[in-house]
C-alpha cells in the first residue's frame, strides 16, 4: 500500500471520528480541566503504558486533582502518587518514574517539557511512542505515534508488514507524507477503539474495509468454503 492510499484511509476515518485526544482521553471522557499541554500529555502517556484508556483516565484524573504541576509532582511522596495512579497498573513503577521525571524536568529543563525527541527519550519511562504523543498532541509537531492500536491495525490492513511498533513507526514515516503523520495516531486509535476492536472487529461497519487486506482475505475464505 502506498502513501496516497493511506491518506485516503485517514480521510475516510476523519469523516467518522472526532479529532482524537491524548492517551486516556477521547471526546466522551475529556476533562476540560486537564488541557493537552506538554506536562499533562507526558504524564498521561506514561500512565497509559500497558493499560486501557479508561484506567489511564481514572489514574490521571486522580493524580492531577492532587498534583497539577511539574513542581508539585517533583515534591510529592512517591507512595501517595502510587496510590493515586493505581488504576493504571504497575503503581510503584509508574509513580517512581513520574516523580523522577518531574524532578528531572524541574532541575534540568526549567520545568519545561523539551521538544526534541532525543531529549524526551532521556526522561524515565519515555520511549518513542510517548515522545511522539507529546510532540503531536501538545506541541503541534508532526510525529508518527505508534501504540498497540496503530501497530495492530496497520499490519492487519496490509499498510505495513512489521514486527514491532518502532519498525512500524519508521515504515509509516517512509510512505506517509509528513503533514499527515499526526493524523495516523489521531484517527487509527479511535478506529481501534470503536470499529476495529481487538477480538471483536466490526468489519461490516468499517468505512475503510475496501482497503483492508484482512477483510479481503476473510471474504475470500468465506467464498472458498461455500
Amino acid at each position: 500500500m502506498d502513501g496516497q492510499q493511506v491518506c485516503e484511509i485517514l480521510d475516510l476515518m476523519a469523516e467518522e471520528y472526532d479529532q482524537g485526544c491524548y492517551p486516556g482521553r477521547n471526546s466522551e471522557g475529556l476533562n476540560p480541566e486537564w488541557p493537552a499541554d506538554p506536562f499533562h500529555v507526558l504524564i498521561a502517556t506514561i500512565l497509559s503504558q500497558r493499560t486501557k484508556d479508561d484506567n489511564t483516565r481514572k489514574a490521571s484524573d486522580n493524580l492531577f486533582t492532587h498534583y497539577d504541576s511539574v513542581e508539585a509532582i517533583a515534591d510529592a511522596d512517591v507512595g501517595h502518587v502510587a496510590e493515586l495512579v493505581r488504576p493504571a497498573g504497575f503503581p510503584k513503577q509508574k509513580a517512581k518514574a513520574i516523580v523522577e521525571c518531574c524532578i528531572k524536568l524541574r532541575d534540568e529543563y526549567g520545568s519545561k517539557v523539551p521538544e526534541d525527541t532525543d531529549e524526551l527519550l532521556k526522561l524515565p519511562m519515555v520511549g518513542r511512542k510517548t515522545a511522539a504523543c507529546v510532540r503531536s498532541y501538545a506541541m503541534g509537531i508532526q510525529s508518527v505515534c505508534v501504540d498497540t492500536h496503530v501497530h495492530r491495525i496497520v499490519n492487519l490492513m496490509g499498510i505495513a508488514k512489521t514486527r514491532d511498533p518502532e519498525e512500524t513507526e519508521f515504515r509509516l514515516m517512509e510512505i506517509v507524507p509528513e503533514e499527515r503523520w499526526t493524523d495516523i495516531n489521531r484517527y487509527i486509535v479511535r478506529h481501534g477503539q470503536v470499529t476495529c476492536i481487538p477480538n471483536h472487529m466490526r468489519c461490516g461497519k468499517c468505512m475503510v474495509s475496501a482497503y483492508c487486506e484482512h477483510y479481503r482475505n476473510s471474504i475470500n475464505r468465506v467464498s472458498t468454503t461455500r
Side-chain angles (χ1 to χ4, degrees), residues 5 19 30 35 37 49 52 64 67 136 139 141 158 177 226:
Q5 290 173 304
Q19 287 295 300
L30 181 61
D37 63 21
Q49 296 175 23
K52 296 180 180 180
F64 295 148
Y67 305 108
S136 294
M139 298 175 176
I141 301 170
R226 288 178 178 175

Side-chain angles (χ1 to χ4, degrees), residues 3-89:
Q4 181 179 344
Q5 290 173 304
V6 177
C7 289
E8 291 170 3
I9 289 168
L10 294 173
D11 288 340
L12 288 169
M13 289 182 177
E15 294 177 7
E16 181 74 17
Y17 306 124
D18 57 45
Q19 287 295 300
C21 296
Y22 63 89
R25 306 287 154 180
N26 58 38
S27 59
E28 294 83 17
L30 181 61
N31 185 334
E33 294 182 11
W34 318 140
D37 63 21
F39 163 68
H40 288 94
V41 176
L42 172 64
I43 301 305
T45 309
I46 291 173
L47 288 172
S48 75
Q49 296 175 23
R50 293 178 289 175
T51 194
K52 296 180 180 180
D53 289 331
D54 285 344
N55 297 333
T56 302
R57 186 178 304 115
K58 292 173 186 175
S60 58
D61 282 349
N62 289 347
L63 180 64
F64 295 148
T65 297
H66 286 81
Y67 305 108
D68 198 29
S69 70
V70 170
E71 295 84 359
I73 294 180
D75 291 333
D77 175 72
V78 176
H80 187 219
V81 172
E83 287 304 311
L84 294 172
V85 304
R86 186 170 296 279

Side-chain angles (χ1 to χ4, degrees), residues 3-209:
Q4 181 179 344
Q5 290 173 304
V6 177
C7 289
E8 291 170 3
I9 289 168
L10 294 173
D11 288 340
L12 288 169
M13 289 182 177
E15 294 177 7
E16 181 74 17
Y17 306 124
D18 57 45
Q19 287 295 300
C21 296
Y22 63 89
R25 306 287 154 180
N26 58 38
S27 59
E28 294 83 17
L30 181 61
N31 185 334
E33 294 182 11
W34 318 140
D37 63 21
F39 163 68
H40 288 94
V41 176
L42 172 64
I43 301 305
T45 309
I46 291 173
L47 288 172
S48 75
Q49 296 175 23
R50 293 178 289 175
T51 194
K52 296 180 180 180
D53 289 331
D54 285 344
N55 297 333
T56 302
R57 186 178 304 115
K58 292 173 186 175
S60 58
D61 282 349
N62 289 347
L63 180 64
F64 295 148
T65 297
H66 286 81
Y67 305 108
D68 198 29
S69 70
V70 170
E71 295 84 359
I73 294 180
D75 291 333
D77 175 72
V78 176
H80 187 219
V81 172
E83 287 304 311
L84 294 172
V85 304
R86 186 170 296 279
F90 307 95
K92 293 182 179 179
Q93 180 183 359
K94 290 182 180 180
K96 182 175 183 292
I98 287 169
V99 171
E100 290 179 353
C101 182
C102 287
I103 290 173
K104 193 175 183 72
L105 289 174
R106 181 194 63 192
D107 295 348
E108 300 181 24
Y109 296 94
S111 296
K112 301 292 185 182
V113 178
E115 291 186 2
D116 183 73
T117 297
D118 289 337
E119 294 299 317
L120 284 165
L121 293 175
K122 294 177 182 178
L123 300 172
M125 278 189 77
V126 174
R128 296 194 63 86
K129 184 202 84 169
T130 298
C133 277
V134 172
R135 285 164 54 86
S136 294
Y137 288 103
M139 298 175 176
I141 301 170
Q142 290 290 339
S143 304
V144 177
C145 178
V146 178
D147 68 353
T148 55
H149 285 302
V150 174
H151 177 63
R152 174 178 61 85
I153 292 171
V154 162
N155 278 273
L156 200 65
M157 294 189 70
I159 296 172
K161 296 294 183 183
T162 48
R163 296 165 292 183
D164 57 59
E166 184 169 333
E167 191 177 337
T168 300
E169 176 191 351
F170 287 111
R171 175 57 181 156
L172 289 170
M173 290 171 69
E174 289 178 358
I175 64 174
V176 179
E178 185 173 349
E179 64 269 19
R180 301 304 300 271
W181 285 359
T182 292
D183 287 344
I184 292 168
N185 184 273
R186 177 175 291 152
Y187 297 123
I188 294 181
V189 168
R190 290 294 288 147
H191 190 61
Q193 294 170 337
V194 176
T195 304
C196 194
I197 304 167
N199 302 317
H200 188 62
M201 290 176 286
R202 304 168 68 191
C203 296
K205 296 184 177 181
C206 179
M207 76 295 298
V208 293
S209 59

